[in-house]
Amino acid sequence: MLVNAKAKFIKLTPNKVRQVLGLIRGKDVAEALTILSFVDKRPKTQITKVVNSAVASAKAKGIEPRQLYVSKAVCENGPMWKRFRAAAFGRATRIRKRTSHITIELDLKT
């Protein structure tokens, strides 16, 4: 791990974020950003922000972005917002609004 960036408490379900992260894991930074620009999924905006943040951290350390690749892309479960919705026969059903913690790590190509 050379550079990492995190985004916490993102209002997206972790399963949907993991689908998009699987596309960029192991790719060069430029290739990962190109893939994200063509993906038609909602998590792409948040993931793009995290990747750009990691690239900015690398530039601050004096590392060229074209030397980097996505070595680790992980999405973990965040806390759930629990809500209730009215159901039949006077009951209530639970709604779980899930959140995500996204972690992107960049490393030098070997």
Side-chain angles (χ1 to χ4, degrees):
M1 171 194 79
L2 190 62
V3 179
N4 68 346
K6 294 182 182 183
K8 293 187 174 185
F9 306 104
I10 303 299
K11 185 70 177 69
L12 295 166
T13 63
N15 288 334
K16 292 178 183 178
V17 175
R18 287 181 190 122
Q19 288 178 350
V20 180
L21 286 178
L23 298 173
I24 65 167
R25 192 175 292 120
K27 304 279 196 286
D28 296 340
V29 171
E31 186 179 354
L33 290 172
T34 305
I35 289 170
L36 287 173
S37 67
F38 289 106
V39 171
D40 191 24
K41 298 269 188 185
R42 189 171 157 225
K44 80 173 187 177
T45 57
Q46 294 293 332
I47 294 172
T48 303
K49 287 180 183 180
V50 177
V51 171
N52 286 332
S53 175
V55 169
S57 296
K59 284 182 183 176
K61 289 185 175 182
I63 302 166
E64 287 290 322
R66 54 191 157 84
Q67 297 174 341
L68 299 171
Y69 77 102
V70 180
S71 62
K72 184 177 177 185
V74 179
C75 178
E76 297 170 351
N77 296 334
M80 281 187 275
W81 298 354
K82 294 177 179 129
R83 302 289 182 262
F84 291 97
R85 172 178 287 163
F89 299 104
R91 291 179 296 191
T93 58
R94 180 179 291 184
I95 298 172
R96 293 183 299 264
K97 299 186 176 190
R98 300 173 189 271
T99 60
S100 303
H101 299 322
I102 302 170
T103 304
I104 302 282
E105 292 183 0
L106 304 179
D107 209 351
L108 289 173
K109 291 186 233 178
T110 56

